[in-house]
Amino acid sequence: MRRYAVRLAELSASTGVSVATLKYYLREGLLQPGAVVSKTQADYDESHVERVRLVRALSEVGGLPLATIGQVLEIITAPGHDWIDVLRAAQRSLVKPLGDNGFGATDGRGRARAWVDKRGWLIEPDDPFLDELDRAWAASDAGGIGFDEDRLDRYADHVEGIARVDVSTVPEEQEAAIRQVIIGTILVDPVLAALRRLAQQHVSRSQADQA
């Protein structure tokens, strides 16, 4: 990595993050300390620019609170993690606390587990995303959109394809793999959501043109 000496004000200008926020990142350990020049000054390099942009992406795009971002950064920088463990940690950083969502969050508990077993997916019995699926499924039922198992299976067929792309593009080098698994898990979701909405427009217009 090319190194260059910049001060905090220049780091602020390079990243678009205020000096006050950068100092907060430093205090909270979200940004690694710079090379000390004097008691009141330090130099920063490209690694600091990359870290600040990463924190912003996780916060502004990924929607993660700073405390969770700190946990994610800890996993990224810690050596010796198996990538499956990293994937689990990345996914679970997105799990919302289980509670009442206005649609009876506990209604239909276990339906997701039964569906996953029937489909033959290799999922841990206590995976929190089973609760997430139960909760989302109950909300869909309450909204009256008719989310039956057949529709879920059709979605799952396509989602498996996305998952294969995700897994097949994980780099072999450990640090790069860790970064891609965690950051990709968090930041690619908004990309997929946007693609889905664009595809809905495309399919709707295509069908209208053929009518």
Side-chain angles (χ1 to χ4, degrees), residues 24-38:
Y24 177 77
Y25 288 174
L26 286 165
R27 289 195 303 270
E28 295 299 314
L30 301 175
L31 178 63
Q32 67 273 33
V36 176
V37 176
S38 68

Side-chain angles (χ1 to χ4, degrees), residues 79-206:
H81 283 287
D82 181 86
W83 85 269
I84 294 294
D85 293 332
V86 172
L87 175 61
R88 184 182 300 110
Q91 289 181 333
R92 294 188 181 189
S93 70
L94 302 175
V95 176
K96 301 174 184 177
L98 187 63
D100 188 4
N101 60 4
F103 296 105
T106 59
D107 292 349
R109 289 289 297 276
R111 182 164 51 167
R113 173 79 268 171
W115 175 81
V116 163
D117 288 343
K118 181 178 178 181
R119 189 169 178 88
W121 277 4
L122 305 177
I123 308 295
E124 294 181 359
D126 63 344
D127 192 292
F129 277 98
L130 292 170
D131 287 331
E132 284 277 286
L133 181 54
D134 274 331
R135 178 168 54 182
W137 202 338
S140 298
D141 288 344
I145 65 170
F147 212 125
D148 57 18
E149 288 193 13
D150 176 67
R151 183 173 179 180
L152 195 63
D153 279 327
R154 291 164 65 190
Y155 278 132
D157 291 339
H158 294 285
V159 172
E160 280 191 37
I162 293 172
R164 290 191 181 95
V165 173
D166 290 338
V167 173
S168 69
T169 56
V170 174
E172 292 185 6
E173 196 274 319
Q174 185 182 40
E175 183 177 350
I178 291 172
R179 291 179 63 83
Q180 178 165 318
V181 168
I182 292 183
I183 298 167
T185 298
I186 295 168
L187 298 185
V188 173
D189 279 356
V191 174
L192 296 178
L195 284 174
R196 181 190 177 201
R197 284 152 181 76
L198 292 171
Q200 288 171 340
Q201 293 183 43
H202 164 69
V203 171
S204 297
R205 291 181 177 179
S206 297

Side-chain angles (χ1 to χ4, degrees), residues 15-18 21-22 25 51-66 69 186-191:
T15 59
V17 176
S18 71
T21 299
L22 292 176
Y25 288 174
R51 175 62 65 86
V52 172
R53 289 174 176 166
L54 173 58
V55 171
R56 287 192 65 185
L58 294 174
S59 175
E60 297 174 10
V61 181
L64 299 184
L66 292 181
I69 292 174
I186 295 168
L187 298 185
V188 173
D189 279 356
V191 174

